[in-house]
């Protein structure tokens, strides 16, 4: 009885050993799975990069301040802030809707001005 040759799914080397073996070694298995996950997680990585940049911009505006800080919309846009990406939204006890990016948030005061706050300061 002659068996068909089996090949590694990553590097295409001939496989020896168990019949259900798919990879020649752990390195090939890791490379194959990393490539698969890379394709699936590309969009998530892009969004996380935008969220991190938004958070960094908001933290830079607060720069160690304990109190909320007002800033103009144009300043945020020039700094590279993307208003479409936030992690979540909370409604404070005052009825205002806060856009939160991880642990820093903002609230629209007027069409061109925002109040930057720390998420822990939002009273629910």
């Amino acid at each position: 009885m002659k068996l068909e040759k089996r090949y590694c799914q990553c590097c295409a080397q001939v496989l020896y050993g168990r019949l259900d073996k798919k990879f020649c070694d752990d390195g090939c298995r890791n490379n194959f799975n990393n490539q698969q996950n890379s394709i699936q997680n590309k969009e998530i990585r892009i969004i996380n990069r935008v969220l991190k940049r938004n958070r960094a911009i908001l933290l830079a505006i607060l720069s160690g301040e304990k109190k909320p800080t007002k800033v103009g919309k144009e300043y945020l846009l020039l700094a590279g802030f993307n208003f479409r990406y936030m992690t979540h939204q909370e409604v404070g006890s005052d009825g205002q809707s806060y856009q939160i990016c991880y642990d820093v948030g903002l609230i629209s005061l007027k069409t061109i001005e925002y109040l930057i706050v720390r998420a822990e300061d939002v009273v629910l």
Side-chain angles (χ1 to χ4, degrees):
M1 181 169 133
K2 186 173 182 178
L3 295 175
E4 286 187 33
K5 286 187 178 179
R6 294 169 293 117
Y7 299 95
C8 175
Q9 289 183 7
C10 182
C11 68
Q13 286 186 356
V14 177
L15 294 176
Y16 299 101
R18 295 176 28 183
L19 293 176
D20 61 344
K21 192 173 182 180
K22 295 179 182 181
F23 305 101
C24 58
D25 60 18
D26 287 338
C28 278
R29 180 179 49 82
N30 285 332
N31 286 338
F32 181 82
N33 288 324
N34 286 341
Q35 287 174 351
Q36 295 299 313
N37 291 334
S38 173
I39 294 166
Q40 294 171 356
N41 295 330
K42 182 179 180 182
E43 187 71 23
I44 293 169
R45 279 195 317 273
I46 292 168
I47 292 170
N48 280 337
R49 200 173 305 129
V50 173
L51 288 170
K52 286 179 183 180
R53 184 177 54 228
N54 279 354
R55 180 180 181 268
I57 291 167
L58 295 176
L59 284 175
I61 291 168
L62 285 177
S63 66
E65 294 282 328
K66 295 291 183 186
K67 59 183 181 177
T69 306
K70 289 183 184 180
V71 67
K73 182 176 184 176
E74 186 174 331
Y75 180 84
L76 289 170
L77 289 172
L78 288 173
F81 191 83
N82 189 331
F83 286 93
R84 292 184 295 154
Y85 291 94
M86 303 301 263
T87 56
H88 62 287
Q89 184 177 15
E90 292 184 11
V91 178
S93 60
D94 56 1
Q96 295 282 352
S97 177
Y98 292 84
Q99 301 295 321
I100 310 291
C101 186
Y102 295 113
D103 59 339
V104 186
L106 61 114
I107 182 171
S108 177
L109 298 176
K110 300 175 184 172
T111 57
I112 59 170
E113 197 170 47
Y114 289 88
L115 183 67
I116 311 301
V117 298
R118 296 192 184 277
E120 62 207 28
D121 296 336
V122 176
V123 180
L124 301 176

PDB file of all heavy atoms in Angstrom, residues 3 10 13 18 25 34-35 65 67 73 78-79 88-89 120 122:
ATOM      1  N   LEU A   3       1.304   5.261   0.266  1.00  0.00           N
ATOM      2  CA  LEU A   3       0.658   6.454   0.817  1.00  0.00           C
ATOM      3  C   LEU A   3       1.033   7.674  -0.015  1.00  0.00           C
ATOM      4  O   LEU A   3       2.152   7.785  -0.517  1.00  0.00           O
ATOM      5  CB  LEU A   3       1.079   6.678   2.269  1.00  0.00           C
ATOM      6  CG  LEU A   3       0.649   5.609   3.269  1.00  0.00           C
ATOM      7  CD1 LEU A   3       1.250   5.912   4.627  1.00  0.00           C
ATOM      8  CD2 LEU A   3      -0.863   5.579   3.372  1.00  0.00           C
ATOM      9  N   CYS A  10       2.539  25.485   5.247  1.00  0.00           N
ATOM     10  CA  CYS A  10       3.251  26.763   5.251  1.00  0.00           C
ATOM     11  C   CYS A  10       4.408  26.779   4.249  1.00  0.00           C
ATOM     12  O   CYS A  10       4.469  27.638   3.392  1.00  0.00           O
ATOM     13  CB  CYS A  10       3.760  27.063   6.667  1.00  0.00           C
ATOM     14  SG  CYS A  10       4.601  28.647   6.820  1.00  0.00           S
ATOM     15  N   GLN A  13       7.160  21.588   2.557  1.00  0.00           N
ATOM     16  CA  GLN A  13       8.076  20.465   2.713  1.00  0.00           C
ATOM     17  C   GLN A  13       7.278  19.182   2.930  1.00  0.00           C
ATOM     18  O   GLN A  13       6.155  19.213   3.412  1.00  0.00           O
ATOM     19  CB  GLN A  13       8.999  20.680   3.912  1.00  0.00           C
ATOM     20  CG  GLN A  13      10.077  21.701   3.690  1.00  0.00           C
ATOM     21  CD  GLN A  13      11.048  21.751   4.864  1.00  0.00           C
ATOM     22  OE1 GLN A  13      10.869  21.067   5.861  1.00  0.00           O
ATOM     23  NE2 GLN A  13      12.076  22.573   4.723  1.00  0.00           N
ATOM     24  N   ARG A  18       2.762  11.451  11.873  1.00  0.00           N
ATOM     25  CA  ARG A  18       1.318  11.231  11.985  1.00  0.00           C
ATOM     26  C   ARG A  18       0.584  11.588  10.701  1.00  0.00           C
ATOM     27  O   ARG A  18       0.964  12.510   9.975  1.00  0.00           O
ATOM     28  CB  ARG A  18       0.757  12.088  13.133  1.00  0.00           C
ATOM     29  CG  ARG A  18       1.275  11.677  14.468  1.00  0.00           C
ATOM     30  CD  ARG A  18       0.809  12.557  15.597  1.00  0.00           C
ATOM     31  NE  ARG A  18      -0.467  13.199  15.377  1.00  0.00           N
ATOM     32  CZ  ARG A  18      -1.016  14.047  16.221  1.00  0.00           C
ATOM     33  NH1 ARG A  18      -0.401  14.362  17.338  1.00  0.00           N
ATOM     34  NH2 ARG A  18      -2.180  14.584  15.972  1.00  0.00           N
ATOM     35  N   ASP A  25       6.854  21.888  11.565  1.00  0.00           N
ATOM     36  CA  ASP A  25       7.322  22.226  12.912  1.00  0.00           C
ATOM     37  C   ASP A  25       6.485  23.363  13.495  1.00  0.00           C
ATOM     38  O   ASP A  25       5.577  23.894  12.837  1.00  0.00           O
ATOM     39  CB  ASP A  25       8.812  22.582  12.902  1.00  0.00           C
ATOM     40  CG  ASP A  25       9.143  23.780  12.021  1.00  0.00           C
ATOM     41  OD1 ASP A  25       8.233  24.561  11.682  1.00  0.00           O
ATOM     42  OD2 ASP A  25      10.325  23.941  11.674  1.00  0.00           O
ATOM     43  N   ASN A  34      -0.366  33.071  12.214  1.00  0.00           N
ATOM     44  CA  ASN A  34      -0.174  34.524  12.271  1.00  0.00           C
ATOM     45  C   ASN A  34      -0.636  35.194  10.982  1.00  0.00           C
ATOM     46  O   ASN A  34      -1.230  36.279  11.012  1.00  0.00           O
ATOM     47  CB  ASN A  34       1.286  34.864  12.556  1.00  0.00           C
ATOM     48  CG  ASN A  34       1.665  34.601  13.991  1.00  0.00           C
ATOM     49  OD1 ASN A  34       0.815  34.500  14.877  1.00  0.00           O
ATOM     50  ND2 ASN A  34       2.963  34.476  14.242  1.00  0.00           N
ATOM     51  N   GLN A  35      -0.371  34.565   9.847  1.00  0.00           N
ATOM     52  CA  GLN A  35      -0.830  35.113   8.570  1.00  0.00           C
ATOM     53  C   GLN A  35      -2.350  35.132   8.502  1.00  0.00           C
ATOM     54  O   GLN A  35      -2.956  36.102   8.046  1.00  0.00           O
ATOM     55  CB  GLN A  35      -0.268  34.315   7.404  1.00  0.00           C
ATOM     56  CG  GLN A  35       1.199  34.546   7.167  1.00  0.00           C
ATOM     57  CD  GLN A  35       1.755  33.624   6.091  1.00  0.00           C
ATOM     58  OE1 GLN A  35       1.099  32.694   5.635  1.00  0.00           O
ATOM     59  NE2 GLN A  35       2.996  33.871   5.692  1.00  0.00           N
ATOM     60  N   GLU A  65      -3.997  68.124  33.930  1.00  0.00           N
ATOM     61  CA  GLU A  65      -5.035  68.924  34.596  1.00  0.00           C
ATOM     62  C   GLU A  65      -6.053  67.998  35.244  1.00  0.00           C
ATOM     63  O   GLU A  65      -6.437  66.994  34.672  1.00  0.00           O
ATOM     64  CB  GLU A  65      -5.757  69.817  33.584  1.00  0.00           C
ATOM     65  CG  GLU A  65      -4.900  70.897  32.977  1.00  0.00           C
ATOM     66  CD  GLU A  65      -4.704  72.069  33.898  1.00  0.00           C
ATOM     67  OE1 GLU A  65      -5.608  72.376  34.687  1.00  0.00           O
ATOM     68  OE2 GLU A  65      -3.619  72.670  33.834  1.00  0.00           O
ATOM     69  N   LYS A  67      -8.993  69.264  36.202  1.00  0.00           N
ATOM     70  CA  LYS A  67     -10.296  69.826  35.867  1.00  0.00           C
ATOM     71  C   LYS A  67     -10.562  69.727  34.361  1.00  0.00           C
ATOM     72  O   LYS A  67      -9.623  69.660  33.561  1.00  0.00           O
ATOM     73  CB  LYS A  67     -10.376  71.279  36.321  1.00  0.00           C
ATOM     74  CG  LYS A  67      -9.334  72.161  35.697  1.00  0.00           C
ATOM     75  CD  LYS A  67      -9.395  73.564  36.224  1.00  0.00           C
ATOM     76  CE  LYS A  67      -8.313  74.376  35.519  1.00  0.00           C
ATOM     77  NZ  LYS A  67      -8.290  75.731  35.864  1.00  0.00           N
ATOM     78  N   LYS A  73     -13.217  72.955  18.158  1.00  0.00           N
ATOM     79  CA  LYS A  73     -13.295  71.830  17.229  1.00  0.00           C
ATOM     80  C   LYS A  73     -12.163  71.891  16.207  1.00  0.00           C
ATOM     81  O   LYS A  73     -11.572  70.866  15.861  1.00  0.00           O
ATOM     82  CB  LYS A  73     -14.650  71.839  16.524  1.00  0.00           C
ATOM     83  CG  LYS A  73     -14.846  70.688  15.575  1.00  0.00           C
ATOM     84  CD  LYS A  73     -16.222  70.669  14.972  1.00  0.00           C
ATOM     85  CE  LYS A  73     -16.413  69.436  14.093  1.00  0.00           C
ATOM     86  NZ  LYS A  73     -17.775  69.355  13.568  1.00  0.00           N
ATOM     87  N   LEU A  78      -7.208  69.842  13.626  1.00  0.00           N
ATOM     88  CA  LEU A  78      -5.821  70.079  13.214  1.00  0.00           C
ATOM     89  C   LEU A  78      -4.855  69.116  13.907  1.00  0.00           C
ATOM     90  O   LEU A  78      -3.817  68.763  13.343  1.00  0.00           O
ATOM     91  CB  LEU A  78      -5.424  71.530  13.494  1.00  0.00           C
ATOM     92  CG  LEU A  78      -6.063  72.575  12.577  1.00  0.00           C
ATOM     93  CD1 LEU A  78      -5.732  73.979  13.047  1.00  0.00           C
ATOM     94  CD2 LEU A  78      -5.617  72.375  11.141  1.00  0.00           C
ATOM     95  N   ALA A  79      -5.204  68.694  15.113  1.00  0.00           N
ATOM     96  CA  ALA A  79      -4.365  67.742  15.842  1.00  0.00           C
ATOM     97  C   ALA A  79      -4.525  66.321  15.304  1.00  0.00           C
ATOM     98  O   ALA A  79      -3.762  65.429  15.666  1.00  0.00           O
ATOM     99  CB  ALA A  79      -4.707  67.781  17.328  1.00  0.00           C
ATOM    100  N   HIS A  88     -17.062  54.403  23.610  1.00  0.00           N
ATOM    101  CA  HIS A  88     -18.433  54.285  24.088  1.00  0.00           C
ATOM    102  C   HIS A  88     -19.020  55.660  24.388  1.00  0.00           C
ATOM    103  O   HIS A  88     -18.340  56.674  24.284  1.00  0.00           O
ATOM    104  CB  HIS A  88     -18.525  53.371  25.311  1.00  0.00           C
ATOM    105  CG  HIS A  88     -17.766  53.839  26.507  1.00  0.00           C
ATOM    106  ND1 HIS A  88     -16.398  53.786  26.591  1.00  0.00           N
ATOM    107  CD2 HIS A  88     -18.190  54.353  27.683  1.00  0.00           C
ATOM    108  CE1 HIS A  88     -16.003  54.250  27.757  1.00  0.00           C
ATOM    109  NE2 HIS A  88     -17.066  54.609  28.444  1.00  0.00           N
ATOM    110  N   GLN A  89     -20.287  55.653  24.762  1.00  0.00           N
ATOM    111  CA  GLN A  89     -21.023  56.883  25.050  1.00  0.00           C
ATOM    112  C   GLN A  89     -21.710  56.713  26.399  1.00  0.00           C
ATOM    113  O   GLN A  89     -22.240  55.650  26.711  1.00  0.00           O
ATOM    114  CB  GLN A  89     -22.055  57.114  23.945  1.00  0.00           C
ATOM    115  CG  GLN A  89     -22.829  58.375  24.053  1.00  0.00           C
ATOM    116  CD  GLN A  89     -23.767  58.547  22.865  1.00  0.00           C
ATOM    117  OE1 GLN A  89     -24.024  57.601  22.128  1.00  0.00           O
ATOM    118  NE2 GLN A  89     -24.268  59.731  22.675  1.00  0.00           N
ATOM    119  N   GLU A 120     -13.828  59.235  34.595  1.00  0.00           N
ATOM    120  CA  GLU A 120     -14.180  59.073  36.013  1.00  0.00           C
ATOM    121  C   GLU A 120     -14.906  60.288  36.571  1.00  0.00           C
ATOM    122  O   GLU A 120     -15.587  60.194  37.584  1.00  0.00           O
ATOM    123  CB  GLU A 120     -12.916  58.798  36.821  1.00  0.00           C
ATOM    124  CG  GLU A 120     -11.919  59.946  36.755  1.00  0.00           C
ATOM    125  CD  GLU A 120     -10.481  59.513  36.951  1.00  0.00           C
ATOM    126  OE1 GLU A 120     -10.157  58.369  36.620  1.00  0.00           O
ATOM    127  OE2 GLU A 120      -9.708  60.337  37.434  1.00  0.00           O
ATOM    128  N   VAL A 122     -17.277  61.881  34.931  1.00  0.00           N
ATOM    129  CA  VAL A 122     -18.635  61.904  34.417  1.00  0.00           C
ATOM    130  C   VAL A 122     -19.560  61.321  35.488  1.00  0.00           C
ATOM    131  O   VAL A 122     -19.426  60.162  35.873  1.00  0.00           O
ATOM    132  CB  VAL A 122     -18.768  61.103  33.113  1.00  0.00           C
ATOM    133  CG1 VAL A 122     -20.216  61.064  32.643  1.00  0.00           C
ATOM    134  CG2 VAL A 122     -17.859  61.686  32.048  1.00  0.00           C
TER     135      VAL A 122
END
